[in-house]
Each structure stands twice: as C-alpha cells, then as structure tokens.
C-alpha cells in the first residue's frame, strides 16, 4: 500500500469517515474494454445484486465534460477519458478507487474546431487500456497517447488519419508489444499496429473498398498463433498480429459495425452491422475466404447493432438496441428464449458473481440468472444517461453516467 493511501486511511480514522469510505482497495482489475479477457467476464467479482441513488453507493463523483469510455481499474486507480469545452479539450483522468479523489486530469489533445460527431456519441468514447504500469488512451483520428500510471506522458501521435464522421468508438487491444486498432472511416479503412513503447506504426493493413465501421477487435489464441478478429464493413477479417497478414475472412452485407466479437467452443461470434444485422458463428482454423466453408450457424432475429455479446457456459446472450434480450445455444444457434427488457441499449453486458448485468441508456440495470429459462433477479436505477459499459471489480461496480461516476457496493 502506498504512503499516500496509508495517510488517507489515518485521516479517515481520525475524521470518522470509515463508514462512508470502506477501507477496501480493489484487488482485481478491469484493464480494458470488456475486462481482462476482453469478453465481458469478471470471474472473481461479486458485486451487489441491486442499488439505487440512496442505497449501496459508496461515492458518486461528478465528472467534467462528456465521455462514453468505460472505466478501467488497476492498482487502486481508476482511469477514464473525457472531452471538455464542447469537445475541444481531450483529457484522461485518474481517480482514487477508494475515495473517488481526482489524482490526474491531463489534457492530451486540444482542437479549436473539433470534428462533428453523431449526437449519440462523444469525443471520448474509446476505452483506455491499462497494462504494465502504463495507460494507453485513444481518441480515434484525433489522437492516441501513452502515459505512465504516475501521469507522465510518454508519447502522443496523430498519425491515424481518416474521416470518421460519426466520431470514434473502437478501443485499442493489446498483443505483445503492440496496440491493435481499427481505423474504419468513410474514406479509408485499415487496421493498424502501434508499438507500445514509441507509438510508431509497426504495420498497417488496408481493407480495400468498403464503408465505415466502429468495432473493437478481439485477439484470440489459435494453433497458428495469435489472431486479431476484426469486424468491418462487408467483411470480418482475422489478421496475424505480428505482420498484419490476412489469414481468413467472411463476407456479408453490413456496415457501421460496433459489437466486439466473442469466442467459445472453437467458434468466434461476429455481427454484420446495419441495416439488419446477422449473427454469425464461425469455426476457427480456416484460411482465405471461409464464408462458405466455416460458418457453423447464423441467427437474424433481434441481433445487436451496438452492445457486444456474451457467452456463459453453453449459452450466448445478447440484447438488441431496442431491448430484446435473447439466449441462444452457443454451439448450434438454437433459440432458447427471448425477452423484452425496458429501454434502449448501447452498453455491453457483463458477467459478475454468476449473474449477467444489462445496463440500458436511461440508468436502469437489469440483472438475470444465466440459464435456459429467463429469470430476472433485480432491477436498479441511477440518474442520468448511461451508454458506457459497467466495470465490476471484486465486490464493486463502477458505473459511469453522462455526469457522474459511481462506486457501488454492499454497504
């Protein structure tokens, strides 16, 4: 424990604040978009089943500006990005996970005339990556940076040029000494690997004639080595993470892809984007165009445009943007159940404490029990808009709204 935290606990004891701020440092972590494995699963977390504005909230921290990046947590610090001054100032913040105290608030990029974005998006939507004593921050074409967890800026780059129109979305993912990022604009579409130490481009792989997309890729381990499964308009492609070589791909009609793939049972699950998305389960191990040879099954009803999917055991769960939750057999694609949830959805579901948490856009979290019968366990509501995915760590949930960040746990 750091000297600063020891002093804080001593001050808390003196002031009688321990009831308000329990002396528990997060032991687990949530280092990237969708957690440690990038698939929305917190194996050891046991967060509360329910909460409200007045119950199970340890602290509620007002945040400046607007950002839809999800919080990442490690070593007792919580990191997120935001855009202030109407999108002119792009910033990274670090908070003390125990107290909510702001530890760092650093401007990384400044624009007098920030680009236009979709009204539902923000200028700070990609989620940071926390790894090896560093935090990597991405704002799409507006810039990428690396910092130490002490707040020292190591490098910044604006070399990833393309026209995103609706704003940035896809988050960086790690593979060895590289950051892998989708850059799918209206004019150019490519996947790029940046060196973690320098920010320099190691490789860049162009997708060819295509359309815009906003997805985050998934790194998976295969017999042929690590592969980056990257959804894009018209194709999902698996790349060699070291070279950027295209290894296999499937073709479809669709664009503006957002959900991050998930993998289980020797399959990888991808969705095709607008206008009417299809969910494909693709067998791993193919080469070249595997559209006809390696698609195990597909599903077309109530498929998500925005929230990512989640696999728990033998079942795959998803929620459509308009609130239709679906459970499928992950191996066969057989529909097990469908259920309407309240509201519209952008945030991706998470599994924690053996329960699945679905957060809608109006502050409502619906918790269900995984299984082949729909069983709702609880509903919880906070104030504000909620498009960022929640981050479960240990017995806590960190939840971001358009104005605040909450630390939620049993009191």
């Amino acid at each position: 424990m750091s000297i600063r935290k020891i002093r804080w606990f001593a001050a808390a004891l003196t002031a009688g604040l321990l009831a308000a701020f329990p002396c528990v440092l997060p032991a687990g972590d949530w280092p990237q978009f969708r957690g440690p494995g990038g698939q929305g699963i917190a194996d050891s977390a046991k967060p509360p089943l329910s909460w409200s504005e007045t119950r199970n909230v340890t602290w509620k921290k007002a945040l400046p500006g607007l950002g839809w990046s999800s919080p990442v947590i490690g070593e007792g610090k919580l990191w997120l990005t935001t855009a202030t001054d109407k999108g002119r100032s792009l910033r990274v913040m670090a908070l003390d996970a125990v107290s909510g105290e702001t530890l760092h608030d650093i401007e990384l990029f400044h624009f007098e005339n920030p680009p236009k974005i979709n009204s539902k998006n923000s200028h700070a939507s990609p989620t940071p990556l926390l790894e090896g004593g560093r935090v990597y921050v991405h704002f799409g074409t507006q810039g990428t940076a690396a910092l130490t967890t002490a707040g020292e800026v190591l490098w910044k780059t604006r070399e990833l040029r393309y026209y995103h129109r609706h704003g940035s979305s896809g988050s960086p993912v790690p593979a060895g000494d590289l950051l892998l990022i989708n850059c799918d604009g209206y004019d150019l579409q490519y996947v790029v690997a940046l060196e973690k130490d320098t920010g320099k481009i190691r490789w860049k792989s162009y997708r060819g004639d295509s359309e815009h997309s906003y997805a985050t890729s998934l790194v998976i381990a295969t017999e042929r080595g690590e592969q980056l499964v990257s959804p894009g308009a018209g194709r999902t492609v698996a790349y060699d993470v070291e070279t950027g070589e295209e290894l296999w791909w499937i073709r479809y009609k669709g664009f503006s892809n957002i959900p991050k793939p998930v993998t289980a049972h020797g399959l990888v699950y991808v969705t095709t984007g607008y206008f009417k998305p299809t969910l494909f389960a693709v067998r791993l191990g193919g080469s070249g165009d595997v559209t006809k040879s390696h698609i195990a099954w597909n599903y077309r009803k109530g498929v998500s445009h925005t929230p990512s999917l989640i696999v728990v055991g033998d079942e795959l769960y998803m929620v459509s943007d308009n609130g239709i939750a679906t459970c499928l057999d992950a191996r066969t694609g057989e529909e097990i159940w469908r259920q309407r949830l309240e509201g519209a959805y952008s945030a991706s579901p998470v599994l924690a404490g053996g329960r699945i948490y679905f957060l809608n856009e109006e502050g409502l979290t619906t918790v269900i029990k995984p299984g082949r019968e729909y069983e709702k366990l609880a509903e919880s509501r906070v104030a504000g808009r909620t498009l960022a995915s929640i981050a479960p760590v240990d017995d806590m949930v960190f939840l971001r709204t358009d104005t605040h960040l909450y630390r939620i746990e049993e009191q």
Side-chain angles (χ1 to χ4, degrees):
M1 184 181 297
S2 70
I3 294 297
R4 186 186 56 75
K5 287 190 172 66
I6 292 172
R7 288 171 177 167
W8 187 91
F9 290 136
L13 282 167
T14 302
L17 296 178
L18 292 184
F21 296 111
C23 291
V24 179
L25 283 172
D29 59 11
W30 193 259
Q32 62 175 317
F33 179 56
R34 307 218 71 205
Q39 300 195 76
I41 295 175
D43 289 321
S44 60
K46 295 181 180 180
L49 177 63
S50 62
W51 55 82
S52 72
E53 285 287 337
T54 59
R55 184 168 56 86
N56 287 341
V57 175
T58 300
W59 50 254
K60 177 182 177 181
K61 171 79 171 184
L63 298 176
L66 177 66
W68 290 128
S69 60
S70 301
V72 294
I73 301 100
E75 298 180 349
K77 284 185 179 180
L78 183 150
W79 296 83
L80 46 77
T81 58
T82 190
T84 62
D85 193 18
K86 298 181 179 179
R88 294 181 179 88
S89 179
L90 303 182
R91 315 183 70 86
V92 61
M93 297 181 65
L95 308 181
D96 187 293
V98 173
S99 65
E101 171 194 359
T102 299
L103 304 176
H104 306 293
D105 185 354
I106 303 167
E107 182 180 72
L108 294 173
F109 301 97
H110 189 92
F111 301 88
E112 287 302 320
N113 298 296
K116 293 182 179 180
I117 60 173
N118 189 288
S119 60
K120 194 174 177 179
N121 204 356
S122 77
H123 288 280
S125 291
T127 294
L129 168 65
L130 191 59
E131 183 184 67
R134 295 183 178 182
V135 57
Y136 301 93
V137 181
H138 182 58
F139 298 96
T141 189
Q142 292 174 267
T144 308
L147 305 88
T148 69
T149 51
E152 176 191 0
V153 178
L154 299 174
W155 54 259
K156 297 193 291 184
T157 180
R158 294 196 61 225
E159 290 190 38
L160 306 183
R161 310 303 297 168
Y162 57 97
Y163 173 47
H164 58 46
R165 183 175 174 179
H166 293 307
S168 57
S169 175
S171 303
V173 296
D177 62 345
L178 299 175
L179 297 178
L180 307 174
I181 303 172
N182 288 3
C183 302
D184 293 317
Y186 276 71
D187 52 349
L188 297 172
Q189 303 85 32
Y190 58 91
V191 179
V192 67
L194 301 182
E195 295 178 355
K196 289 177 180 175
D197 286 341
T198 65
K200 294 181 179 180
I201 294 175
R202 174 80 59 83
W203 58 257
K204 181 188 289 186
S205 182
Y206 287 93
R207 297 187 190 272
D209 295 334
S210 189
E211 293 186 74
H212 57 107
S213 184
Y214 303 92
T216 300
S217 297
L218 176 71
V219 174
I220 57 176
T222 74
E223 294 179 352
R224 298 168 62 184
E226 285 191 322
Q227 300 180 5
L228 180 77
V229 180
S230 176
R235 287 196 308 160
T236 288
V237 181
Y239 299 90
D240 184 301
V241 299
E242 294 295 330
T243 66
E245 176 191 359
E246 292 189 1
L247 301 175
W248 60 262
W249 59 88
I250 62 167
R251 298 184 181 275
Y252 45 73
K253 291 183 178 180
F255 65 98
S256 197
N257 315 64
I258 299 175
K260 181 175 182 176
V262 293
T263 184
H265 309 301
L267 302 168
V268 61
Y269 307 89
V270 298
T271 61
T272 62
Y274 284 76
F275 286 101
K276 187 173 177 58
T278 298
L279 166 62
F280 287 114
V282 185
R283 288 190 295 271
L284 298 173
S287 298
D289 189 338
V290 299
T291 309
K292 295 182 178 180
S293 61
H294 279 66
I295 294 178
W297 55 262
N298 66 77
Y299 184 83
R300 300 177 184 275
K301 294 188 296 182
V303 176
S304 165
H305 282 124
T306 305
S308 300
L309 319 177
I310 192 165
V311 177
V312 182
D314 291 332
E315 286 79 49
L316 180 148
Y317 301 83
M318 62 183 171
V319 62
S320 65
D321 293 39
N322 63 352
I324 302 297
T326 304
C327 174
L328 304 176
D329 187 297
R331 299 177 187 272
T332 67
E334 174 192 0
E335 182 183 305
I336 299 172
W337 54 255
R338 301 181 76 204
Q339 181 72 35
R340 176 170 289 281
L341 306 181
E342 180 182 333
Y345 288 77
S346 288
S348 297
V350 299
L351 176 78
R355 305 182 288 247
I356 301 176
Y357 292 70
F358 293 97
L359 174 64
N360 78 3
E361 295 180 1
E362 294 82 36
L364 175 69
T365 301
T366 300
V367 185
I368 71 166
K369 181 179 179 180
R372 300 181 76 87
E373 294 185 4
Y374 176 76
E375 182 179 348
K376 181 170 69 175
L377 301 176
E379 289 184 345
S380 303
R381 192 181 298 273
V382 296
R385 297 177 68 211
T386 42
L387 277 70
S389 301
I390 66 174
V393 175
D394 298 336
D395 58 354
M396 293 162 272
V397 162
F398 292 94
L399 187 154
R400 182 179 194 172
T401 74
D402 54 341
T403 58
H404 288 80
L405 181 72
Y406 295 73
R407 171 173 161 169
I408 297 168
E409 61 192 316
E410 293 287 349
Q411 298 301 297

